[in-house]
Each structure stands twice: as structure tokens, then as C-alpha cells.
Amino acid sequence: MTKTQTHTLALPGVDLVYDVCGPLPPAGGRPALVMIGQPMTAEGFDSLAAHFTDRTVVTYDPRGLGRSIRKDARSDHTPQHQAADLHLLVEALGAGPVDMFASSGGAVTALELVATHPGDVVTLVAHEPPINAVLPDAAAAERARAAFHEAYQAKGTGAGMAAFIAMTSWQGEFTDAYFAQPEPDPVMFGLPTDDDGTRDDPLLSKNSWAISDYRPDAGALTAAPTRIVIAVGEESAGTYTARTAVGTAALLGQEATVFPSHHGGFLGGQFGYAGKPEEFAARLREVLAAG
């Protein structure tokens, strides 16, 4: 079994930590496969990467998350910062352009990377990017986001996460019926009710709002040489990130490509998600090969 090697790339404002499993340059003439998320860090891709032992797989911890310690005295997470880091990481690999699987906020980062550095990526599979601007109810989505942030500020992580789950599991547009619901009880989701006093969670604070506020440059993306595949989970249908995936695909003149499972379908039980990593990996392999 190929051993994973961990490296640190010293960049302005951050020491970016990344992992490489397989040779560089990659064997067999195929590009390295880079897997990214946001706010997910490298270990979130362990189950998926295990199904790609024939590929050189690269994962990393985005700026300010996990092992990638910031030195710029900032706490915000923006697609622009992350994409600039990712571009330098691809350069450091010395094996570009790469194939890329990008999940959630990482998919937003990847779209910004392709728009600004189109030569970095051969095929991008962007799985359920949470982009409010592509929704017909964008203003309501922003209101729903503000609601889980307010719950977090008022009562802590459990309350904020319960409200976040309520938002991301809601079917269809955010209507008056959604906002008329009582505040969800964290206990219903097995979440803590105590408040540890922290308010810097990258998901629940405002630190990552730039991700869902992102506005894709459709012209730059469609003009790029990169093959872009917007992916959506078959079990996600009707939910917030499924709708943003469908909307992003439509912006680029395509239909979303269906993958097994849900938003965390590639996970093998990490972070409380029970996905279908083997089926997901098979679909990803099929989509990459089609390019």
C-alpha cells in the first residue's frame, strides 16, 4: 500500500499542509487527483481516496483550518484566498494540470480557481456548491442563513447546528412556512445543549459567508479549457445544496450530473454522515474517465 506523505507549503499568511498518496509525477500518464472541501479538511476524503489507489491523490487543509495555521491575523474564509492558495499548491506539485473533486464550499473554491487559473485543472467535478446567487429565492436563502447564525450567536454550537440542519434539509424554496417553524431543538439531532462560549465556528459564524455569497463568472468558466461537471446527490433532491447545484449547472448551460447518496455521500461515517463511498467513487471514476 502506498504511504501518504505530508508536506507543508509556506505561503504568504499561512503554512499550507497537504498530503500526497502516490508518485509525483503521477504514474500511467493520468493527472493527479486533488480532493478538496470547505470547511472540511483532508481527513474527510480518506474513505473516497481509498478507492483510488491507482491514482496519485492529493488532499489538503484549507487556509485557517485543521493543520494549515494562518499567520495573516484574519479569520474569514473566502473563495478568492482559497483559490489563490490552491493555485500555488498545484504549482508546487509540479504535476499540473490536475483532475479535481471538490465538495461543498470546496466546490466554490474550485470554480474560482478555474475562473482565475484555467490552466490548472483538466476536469473539475464540483459537488453541490452552496451558492445563493443561482437560486430564485436567493434573498430568502440569505435570511435562512442569517437565522442559523443568530441561533449560534444566541445559544451556541448546538442551537446553531440544529438550525443549520433545518435549513439544509428543507425541501424546496424558503417560504413563509419555513420561517414560521419553531426553533429546532438540538436534542432532536443528538447535539449538545450547553454553550462553550466560542463563536468562531467556520460553518456557523459569518467567517465563511463569502462562500455562499460567491457569484460565479459564467463567461470565464465556460471559456476555460477545463471540463466542468456540476454534481448533485440523488438523495439531496429538493434540498438547499441540490438546488444550488442545479442552479450552478444551469448557469453554465448544463444539467447537473447525478451521484449516489447525498451531500456527504463520499463519506464513510465521518462527521456523522453515513454515505456510500464505494458507489460514489465508482461514479466519480466513471465521470472522470468520460473526459
Side-chain angles (χ1 to χ4, degrees):
M1 184 176 179
T2 305
K3 183 178 180 181
T4 298
Q5 296 186 339
T6 298
H7 306 268
T8 299
L9 179 61
L11 300 179
V14 64
D15 289 329
L16 203 71
V17 179
Y18 65 100
D19 302 311
V20 179
C21 187
L24 286 173
R30 286 182 295 178
L33 175 56
V34 179
M35 299 180 177
I36 69 170
Q38 171 74 26
M40 183 177 290
T41 49
E43 72 274 13
F45 296 99
D46 287 351
S47 295
L48 182 60
H51 295 283
F52 287 90
T53 55
D54 59 327
R55 300 281 301 261
T56 294
V57 175
V58 180
T59 55
Y60 86 122
D61 291 357
R63 174 182 292 248
L65 298 171
R67 302 163 295 172
S68 292
I69 306 302
R70 298 184 82 144
K71 301 178 291 185
D72 59 3
R74 298 180 63 155
S75 59
D76 58 329
H77 304 285
T78 74
Q80 293 77 17
H81 277 145
Q82 307 289 15
D85 290 345
L86 197 52
H87 168 63
L88 294 174
L89 173 57
V90 171
E91 280 193 339
L93 295 176
V98 301
D99 282 341
M100 186 169 291
F101 171 72
S103 168
S104 194
V108 181
T109 295
L111 290 170
E112 174 66 9
L113 175 68
V114 170
T116 53
H117 300 284
D120 282 0
V121 185
V122 180
T123 295
L124 165 63
V125 179
H127 185 248
E128 299 196 5
I131 299 173
N132 288 335
V134 301
L135 295 176
D137 56 328
E142 292 172 5
R143 181 183 170 193
R145 178 184 65 181
F148 75 70
H149 169 70
E150 290 164 7
Y152 174 56
Q153 289 295 319
K155 298 181 181 179
T157 300
M161 186 57 70
F164 173 79
I165 293 170
M167 174 189 174
T168 55
S169 60
W170 179 259
Q171 287 284 318
E173 295 188 12
F174 296 108
T175 60
D176 290 343
Y178 173 80
F179 294 106
Q181 296 179 109
E183 190 173 286
D185 183 353
V187 175
M188 293 171 53
F189 304 103
L191 296 166
T193 56
D194 57 319
D195 184 354
D196 65 6
T198 61
R199 293 295 185 272
D200 58 356
D201 185 277
L203 188 64
L204 302 175
S205 70
K206 289 186 177 182
N207 290 348
S208 298
W209 278 23
I211 294 169
S212 49
D213 283 339
Y214 182 70
R215 293 181 176 272
D217 185 337
L221 291 169
T222 54
T226 304
R227 173 176 167 250
I228 301 173
V229 178
I230 305 299
V232 63
E234 63 182 348
E235 296 174 22
S236 300
T239 63
Y240 167 68
T241 54
R243 295 194 302 118
T244 58
V246 170
T248 303
L251 182 70
L252 301 182
Q254 59 178 263
E255 293 186 1
T257 299
V258 178
F259 270 62
S261 198
H262 43 61
H263 190 66
F266 56 91
L267 294 167
Q270 305 104 306
F271 313 108
Y273 282 98
K276 299 175 181 176
E278 184 173 359
E279 294 176 33
F280 196 101
R283 181 62 167 143
L284 178 57
R285 186 180 293 277
E286 177 183 81
V287 169
L288 291 172

